[in-house]
Amino acid sequence: MPATPTIIGALLGLGTQMYSNALRKLPYMRHPWEHVLGMGLGAVFVNQLVKFDEKLKEDLDKMLERARLANEQRYIAFSNPTIRVSTCCIIFF
């Protein structure tokens, strides 16, 4: 699993550099060190993107759980008549 984002990022960096050279009508492998640098930066970018996506999913799950608990406290607790009477007594007395 961790190899897939790295490979995709490396291919993205390589493809970007080759496309850049093609647009400028230069030889594809004009400066090979630029291709290596592009592959490294692409791999880092995609790996960070995957980490960010996982963190985002965890944060969303936490927020949904907090919202579910808040809704249960807000609506399900007041649907119980004994709780409703006790809260009304507290409010009025």
Side-chain angles (χ1 to χ4, degrees):
M1 185 73 169
T4 304
T6 304
I7 292 171
I8 290 172
L11 290 175
L12 178 71
L14 178 67
T16 302
Q17 183 59 39
M18 291 182 79
Y19 185 69
S20 172
N21 284 350
L23 283 177
R24 295 182 291 161
K25 297 187 181 194
L26 297 171
Y28 287 122
M29 293 297 221
R30 181 173 177 219
H31 296 135
W33 60 271
E34 291 177 350
H35 293 62
V36 173
L37 183 66
M39 290 171 70
L41 290 175
V44 169
F45 172 73
V46 173
N47 281 320
Q48 292 298 319
L49 191 64
V50 169
K51 285 183 186 177
F52 177 72
D53 186 46
E54 290 172 1
K55 177 80 170 115
L56 198 63
K57 286 179 185 177
E58 289 175 9
D59 291 344
L60 179 63
D61 289 340
K62 288 178 187 176
M63 289 175 61
L64 290 174
E65 182 64 25
R66 279 190 277 166
R68 186 186 62 79
L69 290 174
N71 285 334
E72 285 179 358
Q73 290 175 352
R74 191 174 302 133
Y75 297 112
I76 296 176
F78 285 112
S79 67
N80 189 348
T82 57
I83 295 175
R84 187 181 312 148
V85 170
S86 64
T87 2
C88 291
C89 294
I90 292 172
I91 292 172
F92 291 116
F93 293 112

